[in-house]
Amino acid sequence: MDPSSIVDLSHKLDSKVQVYPGDRPFTCSQCATVANDGYSVHVLSFSTHTGTHIDVPSHFIANGKTIDQIPLPSLINPLVVVDLTHLDLQNRQIITWEDIKPSADRLGPGVTVVLRTGWDAYWSSPKYYEHPFLAKDAAQRIVETGVRVVGVDTFSPDETPYQGVGGEHGFAVHEVILGAGGIIAENLTNLAALDGHSHIALVPLNVEGSDGSPVRAFAWKA
Ligand SMILES: [Zn+2]
């Protein structure tokens, strides 16, 4: 590992954190101060799907694995970036297997696949809800290659219903990937900084029974 090559792929958890429609807000409040108490302490409140985070099988699958049951090595993998930015994806455009196919020979067991749409540029704006999303059969083809960790630079690999628009496809992609025992990383950012980076880590909090957790996602050159 070349530590100087590390690129942070996580959004900062701050007052601008945009949460999934209907989700609880992120808050960070100070409950002790150096001036009053001699030390500083903050209290965090957030959903398990806040900011850059991972979904594990129990998010959608009854009796699926919870985050504390996921071995850390399965979240630290060779990285395959599928760059879709040349497609100039539009609001709510469906990403098809044809779009992924040119990268098919790089997909396989043990790699983490990251779909780069460029939509992280719209983080913290209404357009972020209108992200492109993956077709169910494309998710199935990805899983068939043996891939079990899929990341996106959007809210979700499925369409995000917002203000009465979208959602007809449900959570098909979540069900395909999590149903195969896989893991989904959402709200990745800074993928434009990747330049031959070979590995990625998605390190969650070890919360008993949780269906997800914020992660500090980062990539590096081996
Ligand atoms: Zn999630």
Side-chain angles (χ1 to χ4, degrees), residues 149-165:
V149 188
V150 179
V152 291
D153 56 358
T154 65
F155 260 135
S156 172
D158 283 300
E159 187 177 28
T160 295
Y162 182 62
Q163 294 186 336
V165 180

Side-chain angles (χ1 to χ4, degrees), residues 54 56-57 65-77 149 181 183 202-204 206:
I54 58 170
V56 298
K65 281 192 177 173
T66 55
I67 208 146
D68 51 313
Q69 296 170 329
I70 303 293
L72 208 42
S74 66
L75 298 168
I76 302 170
N77 290 324
V149 188
I183 289 154
L202 302 165
V203 182
N206 193 10

Side-chain angles (χ1 to χ4, degrees), residues 21-187:
D23 214 348
R24 301 286 181 90
F26 168 82
T27 62
C28 176
S29 53
Q30 194 164 17
C31 62
T33 65
V34 173
N36 288 335
D37 307 285
Y39 49 84
S40 173
V41 177
H42 287 73
V43 175
L44 295 169
S45 175
F46 54 89
S47 134
T48 48
H49 299 266
T50 296
T52 304
H53 71 276
I54 58 170
D55 295 357
V56 298
S58 67
H59 188 33
F60 273 85
I61 309 300
N63 303 316
K65 281 192 177 173
T66 55
I67 208 146
D68 51 313
Q69 296 170 329
I70 303 293
L72 208 42
S74 66
L75 298 168
I76 302 170
N77 290 324
L79 169 64
V80 173
V81 180
V82 177
D83 191 346
L84 303 169
T85 55
H86 65 281
L87 297 174
D88 190 27
L89 294 162
Q90 301 298 306
N91 285 12
R92 299 187 179 275
Q93 184 171 332
I94 298 179
I95 299 164
T96 66
W97 175 247
E98 286 302 308
D99 299 330
I100 310 281
K101 210 170 158 186
S103 303
D105 61 348
R106 296 188 291 139
L107 308 185
V111 304
T112 291
V113 175
V114 169
L115 305 179
R116 181 183 168 210
T117 69
W119 219 258
D120 58 320
Y122 305 116
W123 174 251
S124 205
S125 85
K127 192 174 168 75
Y128 195 67
Y129 297 111
E130 313 293 332
H131 62 84
F133 59 99
L134 197 58
K136 180 183 179 182
D137 76 293
Q140 286 167 330
R141 299 292 289 266
I142 291 170
V143 164
E144 280 168 17
T145 69
V147 166
R148 288 296 178 271
V149 188
V150 179
V152 291
D153 56 358
T154 65
F155 260 135
S156 172
D158 283 300
E159 187 177 28
T160 295
Y162 182 62
Q163 294 186 336
V165 180
E168 305 81 52
H169 306 276
F171 293 99
V173 173
H174 274 79
E175 289 161 5
V176 166
I177 297 171
L178 301 179
I183 289 154
I184 299 169
E186 295 166 333
N187 297 326

